[in-house]
Amino acid sequence: MRQVCVWCPDWPVIAWRATDPTLTDAPCVVLGRIQQREVVLATDVGARTAGVHRGARRREAEACCPGVQLRSVDPSRETRVFERVVRAIETFTTRIEVHHPGRVVFPTRGPSRYFGGDTALADQLVDAVRAAGVSQVRVGIADGELAAWCAARRADPVHVVPAGASAGFLAAHPIAVLGDADFADLAVRLGITTLGVFVDLPVAAVLARFGYEGVQRHVRARGEDATPLQLQTPPEELIERHVFDPPVARVDAAAFAAKSLADRCIARLERLGYACTRVLVEAETEQGGAFARAWRHDGPLDASALADRVRWQLEAWLQPDAATGALAPPGAVVDAVLVDVDAGPENGLVWVQITPEEIVPADGRQLGFWGGDHAAAERVGRACARVQSLCGPQSVARAVMAGGRFPHERVTWVPWGDVAPTSTAAPWPGGIPGPAPARVWDPPLPAELLDADGQPVQVGARGEVRTAPATLRCAMLPNGGGSVDGWAGPWAHDVRWWDVVQHRRGVCWQVRVRGVAALVVVQRGRAALVAVYD
Amino acid sequence: MSVVTSPHSRAASWRSDALAHHRRDRAAAQAALDDLAVRIRPTGAAHERSLSVPEPFAALLPRVQRGAVVAIDGPPGAGVLSVAFGIAAGVTQAGEWVAAVDPDGVFGGNAAIECGIDPERFVVARHVSARQWSAVVAAFLDGAPCVLAYVPARVSQSDAQRLVARARERASALLVVGPWPAAAASRIRLTESVWSEFGIDAPFLDSARTFHAHVEGRGQAPGPRALAVAS
């Protein structure tokens, strides 16, 4: 099937530039995590000419291009800004698929005839996207989604591969354009460096060596579509809908609904033995505005990937950026005609619906051999979701070891369901020695640490003891504290001296008061109880 | 002058190398087997009626029964949280999950990990208001095999009794820290904990300490216990 691919290169950087006024004209790169390593995911032209490439480490980027501005990847922002491009394209056709922010694919058959041929359609697409305020756009038209994507990468700004010539066009491309790094690595080591060599292999041999997935890649490499067009409407019972009562306009509430909706949808598909590769997200506002958007994924969507896409889309609808106007319904998608309406609390979402549009048989997922009791983890997950619905998404957390001198810095509480940063259990120089206190206050409680004369204890500029602690008073301690049995320290600290806001300078004492061991910090002459060794 | 090695000594050195290599391999294989044994242990313990408590806290409470309530109480600084973390550590080491309720957000996560809790199987509901406390504990009892709950200042007797019934029904162990106004299978009342003295040899707090507790409960002789924990 003939497809057109509209691609906005460097979209993560462009989305940041469109929304972050603190970014200057200096080169900018967007960083993200791939397998626990922080690497460059997207660069702009300035950074690229300085030698920063995708996959480079953060340090390499800073070394190649001093003064480069670093931002972390933010898919919801990208989706929000991409909304204006999608709306511009929606004036051409209704059947568009967002692969990820920056890349849209749709079949050309109807629009191409209407707008006067492939080249004319591509030119008009470029004009429409540029009119929406995005100058960097490339359009490729070819047979099959992979050929269209390769054509868009080669386009300047338009590249049309004639009908029937896609297989020849693709033959010279490297095997890595299929998108799977592991497969590309293996294929190159087997001597299959280009798609042409891969296509020349007999299908039976590809099936024997690479299995069903390999055959699908073979089909795509030939310039055909791996998933044939499905024209039947999806069965009613697969559609999942969430009705909001009262309507919500807050993004976090919508995101929470997105999570449960995605879980339900995937669970139902799993029960039937299906997986979903293309999903339609629909929503309606109180004033009758209807929205719909299709998302496609390479390979089956799992619950968290689906929830992410639904959440990004709802965020894009609820918090459109200024250029698109607030909650302006895309006229081309549905017939509901509405003028711009104010995004306010009275204009929330009434319902959200997920329709799995393309389903494929689920051929199973290999769980880890030592994966543990999967059912138990799921039960706990449900209980956590219940508590999150009671007390808010931030309320349930997991402890992840982190770096820092103070007890409350040694552990980061990561909300349940969020991606946990890498745990760093390594020792931290300059930390307080001894066991970790079991009861930690953040922020610390006000206290009084006095010497024998009843004056606040004093420490010299280099952390030497001038007067020893004799009394500790704090409302939390039994009987309000009392005389000190023993003390250790002081440990002087001068942390983050380069940062005006977070700069902390002071000393820590370990103090025993009537058998209770406590950690006291004195900063700016003021004592505070940080922790009790409970 | 060049040193000539006789074929005999060369063979001997080769043999001793091979022997050392073989020993190293055996040691590595043994280590891998031990590792494997540790990793498959959870599936073994997952369906037992009670969960063992690791040393040294086994002296206070040898086993935690599923569905039972253990009440731990004492003044701040006497070691209530350390004892609670130590008992919960046995649960995570048996491959089960522990859900904690921390109304004030004061749990030291680092101390929990030092006490032996596996952070992979430990979730905490933090900053829970007193009004929602019992609902949160009940929700966790539905899903987690062990719930560690810090009791806020006022929890009504009827709420507490309902939670006891819930724990029994769901066969989840409930460890409550603080004054508990309802029935409990075991009660551990910590009176004080004694730390070693500071001095020239001990320039900072040593983790060695002695807990003093009064224990009563099913299958245990009631009375005071002193529990020394080495550093």
Side-chain angles (χ1 to χ4, degrees), chain B residues 3 25 44 64 71 78 82 87 90 92 96 111 121-122 124 133-135 144 172 180 192 195 203 206 226 230:
Chain B
V3 179
D25 274 2
V64 182
S82 293
I87 293 172
T92 63
E96 299 276 27
R121 285 191 287 270
F122 183 56
V124 185
W133 182 83
S134 52
S172 297
W180 183 242
E192 61 168 343
W195 297 88
D206 191 49

Side-chain angles (χ1 to χ4, degrees), chain A residues 253-339:
Chain A
F256 198 72
K259 173 100 178 62
S260 69
L261 205 58
D263 285 348
R264 283 213 307 268
C265 182
I266 294 293
R268 175 166 299 184
L269 284 171
E270 263 178 11
R271 266 205 306 283
L272 296 169
Y274 287 119
C276 157
T277 55
R278 183 188 134 118
V279 67
L280 182 72
V281 184
E282 292 170 281
E284 193 174 304
T285 64
E286 253 179 309
Q287 306 196 348
F291 300 83
R293 185 72 30 89
W295 282 82
R296 178 185 283 286
H297 192 253
D298 292 332
L301 281 159
D302 61 4
S304 65
L306 178 58
D308 278 348
R309 275 152 188 79
V310 178
R311 179 167 56 87
W312 298 342
Q313 194 56 61
L314 293 180
E315 281 181 14
W317 285 333
L318 285 170
Q319 292 186 328
D321 65 331
T324 39
L327 272 187
V333 176
V334 281
D335 294 324
V337 177
L338 266 182
V339 287

Side-chain angles (χ1 to χ4, degrees), chain A residues 370 395 397 438-440 510 534, chain B residues 40 79 82 106 108 124 126 150 205:
Chain A
W370 306 111
S395 59
R439 204 181 280 244
V440 179
Q510 281 173 344
D534 196 358
Chain B
I40 60 170
S82 293
V106 295
V124 185
R126 306 179 77 230
Y150 194 91
L205 199 67

Side-chain angles (χ1 to χ4, degrees), chain B:
Chain B
M1 202 177 84
S2 66
V3 179
V4 180
T5 342
S6 78
H8 178 76
S9 76
R10 232 183 355 239
S13 92
W14 177 84
R15 211 160 38 231
S16 75
D17 271 4
L19 209 62
H21 200 68
H22 179 66
R23 280 208 195 101
R24 224 176 13 249
D25 274 2
R26 277 193 59 135
Q30 189 60 48
L33 272 178
D34 291 348
D35 187 34
L36 210 59
V38 170
R39 288 165 87 172
I40 60 170
R41 195 181 50 190
T43 30
H47 297 290
E48 283 174 19
R49 192 63 206 120
S50 64
L51 300 157
S52 65
V53 173
E55 291 296 335
F57 299 102
L60 294 179
L61 182 73
R63 298 187 80 79
V64 182
Q65 301 287 330
R66 290 175 193 266
V69 177
V70 178
I72 305 163
D73 193 11
V80 281
L81 279 180
S82 293
V83 170
F85 287 153
I87 293 172
V91 179
T92 63
Q93 284 165 14
E96 299 276 27
W97 284 73
V98 172
V101 184
D102 179 13
D104 308 321
V106 295
F107 283 9
N110 206 9
I113 295 169
E114 272 188 10
C115 285
I117 287 183
D118 181 357
E120 293 288 310
R121 285 191 287 270
F122 183 56
V123 291
V124 185
R126 306 179 77 230
H127 302 289
V128 175
S129 69
R131 205 159 34 82
Q132 289 174 323
W133 182 83
S134 52
V136 169
V137 176
F140 273 152
L141 283 174
D142 283 349
C146 175
V147 178
L148 164 60
Y150 194 91
V151 183
R154 56 180 62 194
V155 54
S156 73
Q157 198 177 4
S158 59
D159 273 355
Q161 278 164 350
R162 234 173 271 144
L163 290 176
V164 172
R166 184 78 156 236
R168 195 185 308 125
E169 184 199 348
R170 304 283 174 185
S172 297
L174 177 59
L175 311 177
V176 284
V177 179
W180 183 242
S186 310
R187 281 182 189 276
I188 301 171
R189 184 167 170 74
L190 285 142
T191 45
E192 61 168 343
S193 73
V194 178
W195 297 88
S196 56
E197 289 294 326
F198 292 118
I200 298 293
D201 299 339
F204 55 84
L205 199 67
D206 191 49
S207 45
R209 66 198 281 195
T210 308
F211 296 99
H212 290 276
H214 186 90
V215 177
E216 57 181 297
R218 228 172 279 153
Q220 281 179 293
R225 301 268 199 291
L227 173 66
V229 179
S231 56

